[in-house]
Amino acid sequence: MAAGPDWGRASELDDISGAVAIAGIGETAYTKASGRTAKQIGAEACERAIADAGLEPSDIDGLTWSGSFADFDAAAFHEHFGTSHDLWTSPWGGGMAWAATAPYLAAQAIKRGAARHVLNVFPVAWATQRSEMTGGPGEVHAAQAMKQNFEVPFGWFPQPVYFATIMRRHMVEFGTTEAQFGAVAVACRRHANLNPDAVMHGRPMSIDDYLASPFLADPLRLFDSCLISDGGAAYVTTSVERARDLPSVPAVVRGVGEGYSGTGTHWAQQRAFTSTPQVFSAPGAFAMAGLGPSDVDLLTVYDPFTVVSLMQIEDMGFCPKGEAGGFVEGDTLFHDAGKLPFNPHGGLLSHAYVLGIAHVVECVKQLRGVAAAQVPGAQVAVYGGYTGHMASTLILTQDR
């Protein structure tokens, strides 16, 4: 069934365009199993983001993290840094879709005077935990009652099965080919090979390599699927005025959007099966920013599978619905030659699976002009977050 306004909704967000900026970023190493805990990883990411912003831990008076993965919350912050001051806090930050909306929460807190410098953090140690059969997206989904009762008994589990089904539907509806899905994977791997911090750095991949990779669930191949890794990142949001007084070049928040499917996490029942809630999220973000898809210099999206990339490219307005397959062919997605430089750090497919927060950090690096695979003249960067039933959009620009 064609996407329409009746299968989801957009959140009503206040206009915060130009009010806040990301003034500090920090990352850990992105690795396979490291033997570290997520708490240790989160602490390191926070240290680096605070230092990059030219601040001290005592200057941080706001903290956002993911309530679903509360590995580095307010208690962990105070324990690690030896602080005890009051913090404005929210568990609706971290990664995934919330990596895009955390700056909106920070802007609201800053506007109310509840905080001045808000730190957002998200770490994972899923590669380390994998040997213990704990952690990771499979365990999280298996714990959901709706999935246990209405999807798992019918074989619709885990994630590769979900998205193999969606891929096949996209192929049937729109004529999308295997090689077109492969174009996304190849572009991300090309960028990862230019990025020494990427897990897949030094492991090139051609379209022939992609087509020779084994199926996880037909038609979804091994290289259509994201990594499982250890790592984390953090960033500091503050007012634009304060950001200009800090040492690092600010990335100004110009637009934020948020959209939901009416089916919630039970998205097997979403009527627009080959669409994402970006159809509700992206328009509001672009309207807030006073920009459009044609103004975007680089796009990063939450890319657990190649089909999610194609759907978001369509749903965010970079090409008509159903035409992303043809749109991404050739060098379209390359950082240095393409019409739409895409996930220039390598994305979840080839950089690391830290659930989107590294995508936001990459946007900031690109706007600073210090990225490993630098997009020439990058002035407008967009992150598209995704969690199945929810999507978000974050538009960042150079300070101008």
Side-chain angles (χ1 to χ4, degrees), residues 153-238:
F154 297 96
W156 213 62
F157 183 84
Q159 284 86 335
V161 176
Y162 306 158
F163 290 98
T165 312
I166 295 169
M167 282 179 74
R168 180 64 71 193
R169 180 72 168 268
H170 205 279
M171 296 170 80
V172 170
E173 285 193 8
F174 306 120
T176 314
T177 67
E178 292 182 351
Q180 290 169 344
F181 290 116
V184 176
V186 168
C188 286
R189 185 64 64 86
R190 178 179 187 265
H191 295 152
N193 275 279
L194 297 170
N195 183 357
D197 296 329
V199 172
M200 301 304 285
H201 180 73
R203 299 180 67 177
M205 180 179 68
S206 68
I207 190 63
D208 290 336
D209 295 328
Y210 166 84
L211 292 172
S213 66
F215 290 111
L216 298 182
D218 190 9
L220 190 145
R221 298 177 178 276
L222 176 65
F223 293 148
D224 287 305
S225 179
C226 63
L227 307 170
I228 297 293
S229 51
D230 286 4
Y235 58 79
V236 177
T237 303
T238 189

Side-chain angles (χ1 to χ4, degrees), residues 1-8 166 169-170 172-174 261 263 267-276 279-280 311 314-315 321-322:
M1 183 176 294
D6 60 341
W7 62 270
I166 295 169
R169 180 72 168 268
H170 205 279
V172 170
E173 285 193 8
F174 306 120
S261 166
T263 53
W267 75 84
Q269 300 302 306
Q270 179 178 297
R271 282 188 285 163
F273 197 54
T274 54
S275 292
T276 70
V279 299
F280 305 107
M311 290 191 296
E314 295 169 346
D315 296 340
K321 189 64 192 174

Side-chain angles (χ1 to χ4, degrees), residues 105-167:
L105 298 178
Q108 298 291 71
I110 290 167
K111 181 180 179 179
R112 295 194 307 268
R116 288 167 54 88
H117 307 107
V118 181
L119 180 67
N120 184 54
V121 58
F122 191 80
V124 292
W126 285 355
T128 293
Q129 294 170 328
R130 182 182 243 177
S131 63
E132 303 168 4
M133 299 301 291
T134 62
E139 182 182 63
V140 173
H141 282 228
Q144 296 179 10
M146 290 288 283
K147 293 186 180 297
Q148 289 176 2
N149 290 279
F150 295 105
E151 294 180 355
V152 174
F154 297 96
W156 213 62
F157 183 84
Q159 284 86 335
V161 176
Y162 306 158
F163 290 98
T165 312
I166 295 169
M167 282 179 74

